[in-house]
Amino acid sequence: MPQPLQMGFQDASSPLMEELMFLHDHTLLVIFTISIAVLLLSSSILTTRLTHTNILNVHELESVWTIMPTMVLIMTAIPSLRVLYLMEEVTDPYMTIKATGHQWFWNYEYTDENMNITFDSYMTQTNDLPQGSFRLLEVDNRMVIPAHTQTRILVSVEDVLHSWAIPSLGIKADAIPGRLNQVLMFPSRNGLFFGQCSEICGINHSFMPIVIESLPISNFETWLNNQE
């Protein structure tokens, strides 16, 4: 859950989000190092009165400021490509769920052969909120998944552009008419994960939240039996 005045990421609840946070910290460290180096170099140039007569025609210096940015880009690109691979790689998921966006709610369909579950998920109105629930974030039907297992989510839409986003799990998938996008979900703990549509989709864009409930596999199977 985001907190008031929070400036950083939400706590990571999946291996993918942990990798994204590591990439962010790595890139930030590179940017900080470059900024300090440029600041020191600029201060040195502005405060010295000495000038090299051949400073505009030094091939060695030109080679240095060409090679160094290339090395910096490589240092940033390799971890980024690794995270992109992890985001796209889905191997032997435990189950598949299709999330379909509508104006302005989500529909979830458990598509595996031994499951026949379909339901709509609307935002719970303020007057109907249970004690201690979160305003504008709670829904009447949560998407339930097993913890510590791979779940494949297929994201689509029936009308306009939407976006299915769960920040603490590192997931943001665009819902585009006529297209089926795929994301991998691997919650590393039990609990509730909150998200919202992150694409401006109309007048009630702010009122179509996403709530995922992660349960142990035994509890999840019990929930499945109760739905049938």
Side-chain angles (χ1 to χ4, degrees), residues 29-45 68 72:
L29 179 61
V30 171
I31 294 174
F32 181 76
T33 303
I34 294 173
S35 301
I36 294 298
V38 171
L39 179 62
L40 293 177
L41 183 61
S42 301
S43 301
S44 175
I45 293 175
M68 288 187 63
V72 170

Side-chain angles (χ1 to χ4, degrees), residues 159-172:
D159 36 53
V160 299
L161 291 174
H162 296 282
S163 187
W164 200 79
I166 308 292
S168 61
L169 296 177
I171 292 176
K172 182 180 182 294

Side-chain angles (χ1 to χ4, degrees), residues 30-80:
V30 171
I31 294 174
F32 181 76
T33 303
I34 294 173
S35 301
I36 294 298
V38 171
L39 179 62
L40 293 177
L41 183 61
S42 301
S43 301
S44 175
I45 293 175
L46 292 175
T47 55
T48 184
R49 294 183 179 180
L50 301 176
T51 303
H52 197 284
T53 56
N54 296 324
I55 195 170
L56 299 179
N57 191 25
V58 181
H59 298 293
E60 293 80 3
L61 183 59
E62 293 178 359
S63 300
V64 168
W65 67 43
T66 300
I67 294 174
M68 288 187 63
T70 304
M71 298 301 296
V72 170
L73 290 176
I74 293 175
M75 291 172 56
T76 307
I78 292 177
S80 178

Side-chain angles (χ1 to χ4, degrees), residues 128-214:
D128 301 328
L129 277 177
Q131 185 71 24
S133 297
F134 298 103
R135 178 177 173 270
L136 302 183
L137 288 177
E138 190 57 80
V139 297
D140 55 357
N141 293 309
R142 299 168 178 169
M143 191 182 85
V144 182
I145 61 173
H148 308 290
T149 58
Q150 286 190 356
T151 301
R152 176 169 52 196
I153 309 296
L154 304 177
V155 182
S156 186
V157 67
E158 289 290 340
D159 36 53
V160 299
L161 291 174
H162 296 282
S163 187
W164 200 79
I166 308 292
S168 61
L169 296 177
I171 292 176
K172 182 180 182 294
D174 292 333
I176 303 172
R179 181 171 177 177
L180 201 63
N181 286 333
Q182 172 182 278
V183 292
L184 173 67
M185 185 180 299
F186 191 99
S188 56
R189 62 179 178 83
N190 305 327
L192 296 178
F193 309 110
F194 295 89
Q196 289 178 305
C197 174
S198 56
E199 183 77 32
I200 299 177
C201 57
I203 187 172
N204 288 331
H205 157 69
S206 301
F207 304 106
M208 50 182 306
I210 304 162
V211 181
I212 296 176
E213 186 173 359
S214 175

Side-chain angles (χ1 to χ4, degrees), residues 1-14:
M1 276 293 297
Q3 303 296 325
L5 303 180
Q6 180 176 339
M7 300 297 293
F9 292 108
Q10 298 182 26
D11 293 338
S13 300
S14 71

